[in-house]
Amino acid sequence: MEINNNQLLRFTTAGSVDDGKSTLIGRLLYDSKSIFEDQLDSITATSAKKGHDGIDMALFTDGLRDEREQGITIDVAYRYFTTPKRKFIIADTPGHIQYTRNMVTGASTANAAVILIDARHGVIEQTKRHSFIASLLNIPHLIVCINKMDLVDYSEEVYNKIIGQFEEFSSKLLMKDVRFIPISALLGDNVVNRSKNMDWYQEGTLLSTLENLHISSDINKIDARFAVQTVLRPQNEDFRDYRGYAGRIASGIYRVGDEVAVLPSGFQSKIKSINAGEQEVQEAYAPMSISMTLEDDIDVSRGNMIVRKNNQPEMEQEFDVMLCWLSNDPAKSRAKYTIVHTSHEERALIKEVVYKMDINTFERDKTDQDLAMNDIARVKIRTTRRMMLDTYRENRNTGSIILIDENTNETVAAGMVV
């Protein structure tokens, strides 16, 4: 299958503090020639000042001054690069437990997660935690890079042992596609260029794996979901009676002539026309941004959802979500929040904490009812009006919500509909 050059792959990186994430991304950018000359000069100079023999690859990504000084990654840093085959966005997320929320934020839109394991230490608690979050966020592809192979004499035995450790605990998690690659980020083995030191490994390098991941099938093409962001009424000579509904298709395919229903009202109509930008098209699919018109003049406004007549989301006023608490302030019992789902907003309250997850042991604690920063818990939410929901496993776009504190306007939690 030929890969379309404008296809964008978002991937997140995770690993514990000294597993070499920043060095890996630096190596990926450097060896794929995605670094600007002036950037290279500045980093070469900084590396020399720090007394390094060569270039310190980690400096390419630790963009915040605090990060460079402390030698740790504390915020989600986004990096963009392009190869002849694909465009990439990297979300480099921190490894410490107190930054769980940063990892959840950075990974929420990723097609793939690159998890680093230090070959000397094997699977550790943080590996399990990062894998659990990747599984929770339903990231379709997981690439486990076993790094620092140069420090274990490029041993195939060590590599196989770590795969065994990883598979033993990951069998409890829901993961579709997991691949393993032995690498040395520092020396460049199997990152962009194939390693001469590991003839026993015959699969692709990290870059070729990322370039060839099949991601078009990750989008849900079955359930047609289109959340209206705005109603277009130009009121000019050319478009006297035009009334279009604009937004981004969350999933599925829409064609002119399709019978559709508008939720929450349930009114039915047919699609009269679809425009993608200036162009009129016969069909459109996720994740395109479009405007459509309907045959009938029915009341449609922002936050409504246009779906297929015979394939509709659940309409619920009370539902369960897996929630990651993002705020420094703990959740207040029975407090009112604004819930945002696609382009739809309602008022909501957390009715009950069903259980909290211990993300290191995967155990459920049903006794602790308090939600503090970085906690992940299953909760019951009640809203003022019915919401149009799919489960997150089936549809990442229409199965995710955020909660906003009405007083401070702060986003306090992100959740996945169970």
Side-chain angles (χ1 to χ4, degrees):
M1 176 203 131
E2 190 186 352
I3 287 189
N4 175 353
N5 182 35
N6 62 17
Q7 203 181 26
L8 173 70
L9 177 91
R10 295 169 183 269
F11 68 95
T12 180
T13 58
S16 86
V17 184
D18 293 314
D19 284 346
K21 289 198 312 294
S22 299
T23 305
L24 174 68
I25 295 171
R27 172 62 69 191
L28 202 53
L29 297 173
Y30 182 70
D31 284 2
S32 65
K33 304 190 172 36
S34 303
I35 303 284
F36 293 116
E37 294 277 319
D38 58 340
Q39 223 180 343
L40 193 53
D41 294 344
S42 138
I43 281 166
T44 308
T46 311
S47 300
K49 204 158 67 185
K50 283 183 151 190
H52 295 296
D53 291 342
I55 295 171
D56 180 356
M57 293 287 164
L59 293 173
F60 287 123
T61 61
D62 286 344
L64 303 174
R65 197 156 106 223
D66 291 356
E67 296 182 335
R68 286 199 294 267
E69 285 168 4
Q70 294 176 41
I72 60 164
T73 307
I74 54 178
D75 198 7
V76 182
Y78 292 95
R79 290 282 171 276
Y80 304 82
F81 75 105
T82 304
T83 69
K85 283 197 171 177
R86 215 172 227 170
K87 294 188 177 93
F88 296 95
I89 297 179
I90 313 170
D92 182 18
T93 63
H96 298 63
I97 190 154
Q98 70 264 38
Y99 301 120
T100 300
R101 62 177 185 170
N102 303 45
M103 186 184 166
V104 167
T105 312
S108 58
T109 54
N111 306 92
V114 174
I115 290 187
L116 265 83
I117 295 178
D118 186 322
R120 297 167 303 172
H121 307 314
V123 168
I124 57 172
E125 207 165 78
Q126 275 165 312
T127 315
K128 294 181 180 179
R129 190 171 78 245
H130 296 145
S131 305
F132 170 74
I133 292 171
S135 149
L136 183 73
L137 292 168
N138 207 22
I139 296 175
H141 309 279
L142 201 63
I143 301 167
V144 181
C145 286
I146 297 167
N147 189 23
K148 307 195 181 181
M149 288 299 290
D150 51 310
L151 301 180
V152 294
D153 299 329
Y154 298 105
S155 157
E156 184 178 7
E157 196 185 331
V158 170
Y159 170 70
N160 287 331
K161 187 176 150 203
I162 294 172
I163 291 179
Q165 289 175 347
F166 189 90
E167 287 177 338
E168 191 184 332
F169 86 86
S170 66
S171 59
K172 299 177 196 143
L173 304 174
L174 287 163
M175 291 180 180
K176 299 172 190 157
D177 174 27
V178 184
R179 297 151 195 245
F180 298 92
I181 306 175
I183 65 165
S184 164
L186 190 66
L187 304 176
D189 293 272
N190 285 338
V191 179
V192 172
N193 305 312
R194 189 167 270 294
S195 170
K196 295 187 173 69
N197 299 306
M198 292 180 273
D199 300 341
W200 46 265
Y201 175 77
Q202 292 300 314
E203 306 290 312
T205 62
L206 174 60
L207 183 63
S208 73
T209 303
L210 289 166
E211 283 182 330
N212 295 300
L213 274 184
H214 182 58
I215 57 171
S216 47
S217 58
D218 297 342
I219 293 171
N220 177 330
K221 295 194 177 75
I222 298 161
D223 305 313
R225 305 283 185 263
F226 176 71
V228 177
Q229 282 179 11
T230 188
V231 178
L232 303 175
R233 304 206 59 186
Q235 305 283 1
N236 62 18
E237 285 300 315
D238 300 337
F239 299 99
R240 181 135 286 183
D241 297 319
Y242 184 88
R243 186 182 169 90
Y245 310 109
R248 189 168 180 218
I249 300 176
S251 57
I253 302 170
Y254 288 86
R255 296 184 179 89
V256 172
D258 279 354
E259 294 191 350
V260 292
V262 177
L263 299 179
S265 68
F267 288 134
Q268 294 181 2
S269 185
K270 279 186 179 171
I271 297 177
K272 185 177 174 185
S273 69
I274 300 173
N275 278 71
E278 301 282 294
Q279 220 175 354
E280 193 160 320
V281 294
Q282 287 303 301
E283 69 166 33
Y285 45 86
M288 286 169 69
S289 294
I290 60 156
S291 66
M292 67 166 75
T293 62
L294 301 179
E295 299 273 359
D296 304 280
D297 190 13
I298 51 185
D299 185 18
V300 181
S301 54
R302 177 181 165 82
N304 289 177
M305 196 179 275
I306 299 175
V307 300
R308 285 270 167 75
K309 194 172 88 172
N310 50 5
N311 175 339
Q312 301 192 9
E314 298 291 324
M315 301 279 290
E316 303 285 356
Q317 206 170 340
E318 199 170 288
F319 48 93
D320 281 22
V321 296
M322 287 301 287
L323 205 64
C324 175
W325 197 256
L326 309 174
S327 172
N328 293 315
D329 300 322
K332 302 182 214 46
S333 127
R334 311 296 285 185
K336 293 269 195 315
Y337 297 99
T338 299
I339 185 169
V340 182
H341 169 260
T342 64
S343 56
H344 181 201
E345 292 183 14
E346 289 292 348
R347 296 185 80 199
L349 58 81
I350 298 171
K351 201 174 160 194
E352 177 195 349
V353 176
V354 183
Y355 59 78
K356 266 165 69 167
M357 274 312 284
D358 181 326
I359 54 176
N360 296 319
T361 61
F362 309 154
E363 283 172 0
R364 299 171 176 189
D365 182 351
K366 295 184 177 178
T367 56
D368 188 353
Q369 292 283 306
D370 299 321
L371 285 182
M373 186 166 77
N374 295 317
D375 280 346
I376 291 179
R378 180 168 175 151
V379 303
K380 277 197 190 309
I381 285 183
R382 185 167 177 83
T383 54
T384 40
R385 281 196 288 252
R386 293 190 303 165
M387 309 284 288
M388 300 151 275
L389 304 167
D390 293 297
T391 66
Y392 185 82
R393 285 253 157 240
E394 285 170 3
N395 203 324
R396 281 171 84 183
N397 287 324
T398 55
S400 52
I401 58 115
I402 58 170
L403 295 182
I404 295 175
D405 184 312
E406 295 188 338
N407 300 322
T408 61
N409 221 18
E410 178 196 7
T411 301
V412 292
M416 293 141 281
V417 179
V418 181

